[in-house]
Amino acid sequence: MTRTHNVRLRRSVMAATAALAVTAGVVAAAPEGEAAQTTPKLSLIAATKMLTLDSWKEDPGVYLDLGTYLTAEGAPFELKVTRKSYKDPVVAEQVIHDGDKTSTKALPAGLVKDFSGLPGFAQITITDTNREVVVNKTEKYCPNNAAGRIDPDGPAKSKYPESCPENAFTLGSVWGVEKGWASNTYAGYSSTPVELAAGKYQAKVSVTKRYRDLFGISSKPQIINLTVRERSWDDEEGAAGLRGKSAASGHSGHDMANMKGMSGHAGHGATRSEAPAAPTSGAGPSYNVGHGPLIPAPPALPWALKKASLRTATAPVGDGPGRTDGSRKAPAVEPNAKRPTGKALVPDVPKPDLRSLPAYGIEISDGGQDVKGKDYLAFSANVWNAGPAQLVVDGFRSPGKELMDAYQYFYDAEGKQVGYTPTGTMEWDPRPGHEHWHFTDFASYRLLKADQKETVRSGKEAFCLANTDAVDYTVKNANWHPGNTDLSTACGQENSISVREVLDVGSGDTYTQDLPGQSFDITNLANGTYYIQVLANPENRLKETDLDNNSALRKVVLGGKPGARTVKVPAHDLVDSN
């Protein structure tokens, strides 16, 4: 299965203007003898006071993208979220910008439990025409959600990442709303659709008290007059013509039922279907480097058209609002025009630091129609770069040869290339779900017995590198906007003469559990305790700052009998997620 081409490479701009309700800023406590520092002025606004949302017969329920935004004025709103290790809880602090100076303020312990956003941030109450409350719920808020500029003097681009990571093994993240910008409060995939009959309603959205008190946000709620209409894509004009086209998200051969079961991230594998939203909501697409299919902001493409185009797979719809066919290439992935010349040199400059995350998405699978009578232990794996330098590998092909020669490049503090070294080869992988160039010996998967000494099975070692997950954006030189985030821009084609593969600082590369080679054959393996080992740079061919932190283990307990094997996956320290 191929990694999705539907990578979001830009933020959307708000589709409607709104009058700003500016509230007074609050003053953070300062140490005795020092001047107090002003926090950003935060306000909740609504892009529109009247809104129509759709309930589709084929996908009942209304997604409450109500067009409410949190604005930041005077200074950016920034949060740093980290954990020291998987044995430590997630902690968060506010980074307060005062001109060229910064200070921090710790958020209450336990307020933030993961890296997906601020829990219970928005209070949503919906009443019907009889003033009866029909919806009363809270939703989390990711400050990195789809955003737009609301102040013409604000920065043209936001410096903050474009989503909040959902990978359970994330180590650090930065959330923020740029000064003069507004970020959609809609929770996207974290938002559960609600049952609302067609008709008129009134929605009240406010920030819950604990966050109003914590960040000094006005208590004024936003009122939206809401119309819910029931629709069916079968009845939509032009839907029949769209049925012959492939998904805008680039999926082929995967139906909606299969997508709904995906819990992995946007790595090398299937992606979950997009959360429906009104096309003019202003909450346009926001790609999640760490994220993948769990996108916290809704797409701009109407859900009816998306579902219609998913029905069959022929030619892609092409680039447009809320979708991409992968035709845009990021500058960072352009390889050198020709292979390097001169003496190979590994200079004394910063180098990448490859580390592995513990395996996740672990499950038992069979060989299907292709390999009958087999039991497999499938899993997802991620190798990431802790920096402080990018991993840059170019592959060059001699005419008529099947393999590319691979070279690792090194750069000084100004970004000038100052050295290179040969580092193996790249090979073309023709298997369905791959069909791109793999750099060999990047990582290895092994299944170890309980004593962790004997390798029982080995996995693949060739990979295409892409920045699919934001693992730790708090490390030195982390790039919050990596360029090559999907296979279509990173791994070349069968007729490519050269390829550049980049693993940026702070990002990791996920391979999901349903790809060929991403499993162990356990058909004849005894029940008991084992460890899945994800090992980066197994042959030490790549030059790194540290070679002692490349391995990660995940405990599994196999049970059952042939044809009905089971697997239990204990929590990994405080991370109880598979």
Side-chain angles (χ1 to χ4, degrees), residues 2-7 9 324-330 333 436 464 466 484-493:
T2 185
R3 178 189 286 140
T4 174
H5 291 178
N6 193 18
V7 176
L9 298 176
T324 177
D325 63 0
S327 61
R328 291 188 299 272
K329 285 206 171 199
V333 301
H436 46 245
C464 167
N484 55 314
T485 54
D486 75 309
L487 298 184
S488 65
T489 61
C491 301
Q493 299 174 338

Side-chain angles (χ1 to χ4, degrees), residues 116-455:
S116 61
L118 295 167
F121 183 87
Q123 177 71 49
I124 301 173
T125 304
I126 298 178
T127 55
D128 60 18
T129 53
N130 296 321
R131 298 185 178 181
E132 294 287 335
V133 175
V134 293
V135 173
N136 188 18
K137 62 183 298 191
T138 60
E139 290 193 339
K140 72 170 59 174
Y141 165 59
C142 168
N144 294 347
N145 270 356
R149 188 168 57 166
I150 47 88
D151 184 347
D153 293 329
K157 293 183 178 180
S158 171
K159 64 176 174 287
Y160 295 106
E162 298 182 3
S163 59
C164 294
E166 298 274 357
N167 192 314
F169 288 100
T170 300
L171 289 164
S173 186
V174 177
W175 305 339
V177 182
E178 185 62 272
K179 173 185 175 182
W181 282 59
S183 167
N184 196 316
T185 62
Y186 173 49
Y189 277 123
S190 298
S191 177
T192 303
V194 298
E195 294 185 10
L196 289 175
K200 301 289 185 179
Y201 300 89
Q202 186 179 82
K204 181 174 75 171
V205 183
S206 60
V207 178
T208 53
K209 186 177 186 302
R210 61 178 173 176
Y211 292 110
R212 297 199 308 265
D213 294 343
L214 185 60
F215 300 125
I217 305 173
S218 169
S219 61
K220 180 182 178 181
Q222 294 298 315
I223 305 298
I224 300 101
N225 293 315
L226 182 63
T227 299
V228 173
R229 59 182 178 182
E230 186 179 68
R231 299 171 69 185
S232 170
W233 66 266
D234 281 326
D235 299 333
E236 293 299 303
E237 195 173 304
L242 285 172
R243 293 174 196 169
K245 296 183 179 181
S246 71
S249 59
H251 295 291
S252 59
H254 300 285
D255 58 29
M256 295 301 297
N258 289 335
M259 292 182 195
K260 289 178 181 178
M262 291 303 298
S263 60
H265 303 278
H268 300 251
T271 185
R272 178 169 153 179
S273 56
E274 296 189 357
T280 58
S281 67
S286 173
Y287 83 92
N288 187 348
V289 176
H291 74 350
L294 300 176
I295 304 155
L301 193 65
W303 186 236
L305 302 185
K306 178 71 71 176
K307 291 195 69 173
S309 62
L310 277 168
R311 277 302 181 94
T312 58
T314 55
V317 175
D319 280 354
R323 65 186 189 275
T324 177
D325 63 0
S327 61
R328 291 188 299 272
K329 285 206 171 199
V333 301
E334 291 296 334
N336 285 320
K338 55 185 178 181
R339 66 182 65 215
T341 58
K343 184 178 180 180
L345 173 68
V346 181
D348 185 17
V349 295
K351 297 178 180 65
D353 181 12
L354 299 180
R355 303 181 185 182
S356 301
L357 297 185
Y360 55 94
I362 301 166
E363 60 184 28
I364 299 294
S365 65
D366 58 34
Q369 295 298 318
D370 297 329
V371 187
K372 296 182 178 180
K374 291 283 189 178
D375 294 313
Y376 292 94
L377 180 66
F379 59 96
S380 294
N382 182 295
V383 172
W384 71 287
N385 180 8
Q390 289 181 320
L391 173 65
V392 180
V393 178
D394 277 4
F396 297 94
R397 189 178 191 176
S398 297
K401 291 197 174 179
E402 294 185 359
L403 294 179
M404 288 188 180
D405 298 318
Y407 300 85
Q408 181 182 358
Y409 291 88
F410 308 99
Y411 302 85
D412 63 16
E414 284 71 43
K416 179 182 177 182
Q417 181 185 315
V418 292
Y420 78 92
T421 184
T423 186
T425 60
M426 291 186 183
E427 62 184 9
W428 174 255
D429 191 332
R431 293 175 298 175
H434 291 281
E435 297 183 299
H436 46 245
W437 288 92
H438 277 170
F439 171 54
T440 57
D441 297 313
F442 174 69
S444 177
Y445 306 142
R446 303 172 186 181
L447 189 60
L448 310 180
K449 288 186 177 180
D451 58 10
Q452 302 182 19
K453 293 181 179 179
E454 181 179 349
T455 302

